[in-house]
Amino acid sequence: MMLYIVRHGETDWNRERRVQGHTDIPLNDYGRLLAGQTAEGMKDIRIDMAYTSPLSRAKETAQIILRGREVPLISEERIKELSFGNYEGLCCSGEHREPGSDEFNRFFTDTKNYVPPKDGETIQALYERTGDFLREMREREEEFKDKNVLVSTHGAAMNALLNRIKGNLSVEEFWRDEVPPNCAVTMVEIKDGEMKIIREGVIFHKEKVRKWKAV
């Protein structure tokens, strides 16, 4: 089994450096362009089935990549983005950063000491639910043998998935490999009960996507 794990395309809140979390912000036109070019780059890769976060930015990214293919699209809560509670909507990077953003920016700059708001979610909780999704994939290896599975998700959720595969469950080193760019694709092979990253952060589109910097 091969998983093709992709981060969604750009949204207006991505462009404005606003925290999204569970807030359901759709793709913008540029995000749709990124997804469309990713679809073109992946056109020769057979996709047998797809899981997507229920948030529209991830769902539409999967729909664009799969356009013209008859592939089942399964909504999966466990690969939804981390909830940032009342931090969501906060502009926390660049010249327009808002009061209170320093507390949130620990999520990127000092993850060990990041404290989510009462209505937010911990990194450990994210590890647990994304890890449960991966365990199910591994347990269904025989059922999905020789299948290619698209997994459309989000920056922090994707990072949690990849960290687990790499054997890194340290909260302190959560961002050791930085935020995956919009529409970056990582290919993960599941074979004989083991998960192995074959290629990481593949960019199929031709556009330059800015990396997140909490400054």
Side-chain angles (χ1 to χ4, degrees):
M1 183 200 319
M2 188 74 74
L3 305 181
Y4 290 82
I5 306 175
V6 59
R7 184 187 175 200
H8 63 79
E10 186 187 83
T11 71
D12 284 345
W13 277 21
N14 283 147
R15 184 178 291 270
E16 296 167 5
R17 297 301 190 241
R18 293 188 181 277
V19 183
Q20 294 180 111
H22 284 188
T23 305
D24 199 6
I25 306 301
L27 297 180
N28 58 23
D29 288 342
Y30 188 68
R32 295 182 183 100
L33 174 66
L34 297 181
Q37 291 184 357
T38 301
E40 177 65 20
M42 295 181 68
K43 67 181 181 181
D44 295 327
I45 299 172
R46 188 191 78 250
I47 301 293
D48 300 292
M49 58 188 303
Y51 289 88
T52 179
S53 156
L55 296 172
S56 62
R57 56 191 184 272
K59 185 176 180 180
E60 186 177 5
T61 297
Q63 290 170 331
I64 292 171
I65 291 174
L66 297 172
R67 188 171 290 158
R69 311 190 198 201
E70 294 185 4
V71 177
L73 189 61
I74 303 165
S75 183
E76 176 54 73
E77 287 281 342
R78 290 172 294 181
I79 58 173
K80 196 173 183 179
E81 185 56 299
L82 184 74
S83 171
F84 297 114
N86 61 16
Y87 286 144
E88 294 182 11
L90 191 69
C91 182
C92 50
S93 179
E95 61 183 23
H96 300 298
R97 62 189 300 172
E98 297 173 0
S101 63
D102 288 343
E103 290 295 321
F104 170 75
N105 274 336
R106 288 198 183 99
F107 178 68
F108 292 102
T109 62
D110 186 16
T111 316
K112 181 179 179 180
N113 294 308
Y114 170 70
V115 178
K118 290 181 180 179
D119 54 347
E121 188 177 16
T122 66
I123 292 171
Q124 189 57 46
L126 178 67
Y127 269 138
E128 289 173 3
R129 61 176 169 83
T130 53
D132 189 60
F133 171 76
L134 286 177
R135 279 191 292 274
E136 180 182 334
M137 293 296 99
R138 188 168 53 193
E139 289 167 1
R140 301 180 74 177
E141 178 188 346
E142 188 61 32
E143 179 185 350
F144 295 160
K145 187 177 181 180
D146 300 324
K147 292 194 180 298
N148 293 331
V149 181
L150 183 70
V151 178
S152 186
T153 184
H154 308 264
M158 183 171 180
N159 205 63
L161 290 165
L162 300 185
N163 279 352
R164 181 172 290 275
I165 294 166
K166 295 172 184 176
N168 169 32
L169 294 180
S170 165
V171 170
E172 184 176 4
E173 296 185 345
F174 184 80
W175 291 117
R176 183 173 64 188
D177 298 317
E178 300 186 329
V179 185
N182 291 114
C183 282
V185 181
T186 291
M187 303 160 196
V188 176
E189 181 184 51
I190 302 179
K191 184 177 181 180
D192 299 327
E194 300 295 325
M195 297 180 292
K196 179 182 178 181
I197 294 175
I198 304 301
R199 296 181 68 191
E200 183 173 0
V202 178
I203 301 297
F204 288 100
H205 56 77
K206 302 172 184 177
E207 308 299 319
K208 185 176 182 180
V209 179
R210 293 178 298 171
K211 291 184 178 181
W212 176 281
K213 290 186 179 180
V215 294

